[in-house]
Amino acid sequence: MRRKTTLLIALLLAAPLLGGCLERGQPTMVDSTRDDDAFCQANGTVKVGSPEYIACRKDRDVQQANANARTDRRQRNLGEYMLNNPTRP
């Protein structure tokens, strides 16, 4: 009887730890999208479809593309450094 109780307590303590193994699907991601529309409307002073709004959206797209290119370049450089310097941490 005592052995069964000990086994039951151990199972109850291990159940929450094993619960994460049963998770299905993709993990929840944080929404990191920018709100370009709100930024470019500038508190309602710039109307959607106006030349200023279009220029703002284009500038934001270029900024995002440049940021993505910098991130990709940094990742590639890190990989090349790690391949070329395997003994240095």
Side-chain angles (χ1 to χ4, degrees):
M1 179 73 175
R2 184 168 176 92
R3 181 175 162 92
K4 288 183 180 180
T5 305
T6 307
L7 182 62
L8 181 62
I9 291 173
L11 183 61
L12 288 175
L13 291 175
L17 298 174
L18 297 174
C21 297
L22 298 175
E23 182 179 327
R24 294 178 183 233
Q26 297 292 328
T28 305
M29 300 291 289
V30 176
D31 184 18
S32 62
T33 57
R34 302 175 309 153
D35 192 5
D36 291 336
D37 188 50
F39 180 83
C40 290
Q41 284 185 13
N43 299 324
T45 57
V46 178
K47 301 293 181 194
V48 175
S50 67
E52 295 87 9
Y53 178 81
I54 294 170
C56 176
R57 290 299 297 256
K58 285 182 181 178
D59 289 343
R60 297 282 286 183
D61 288 342
V62 168
Q63 289 173 358
Q64 182 65 37
N66 289 341
N68 289 340
R70 280 192 307 272
T71 303
D72 291 342
R73 188 171 40 252
R74 270 191 241 126
Q75 183 68 32
R76 187 177 54 250
N77 290 343
L78 177 62
E80 289 176 4
Y81 174 80
M82 292 170 68
L83 284 172
N84 294 330
N85 300 295
T87 57
R88 292 175 50 192

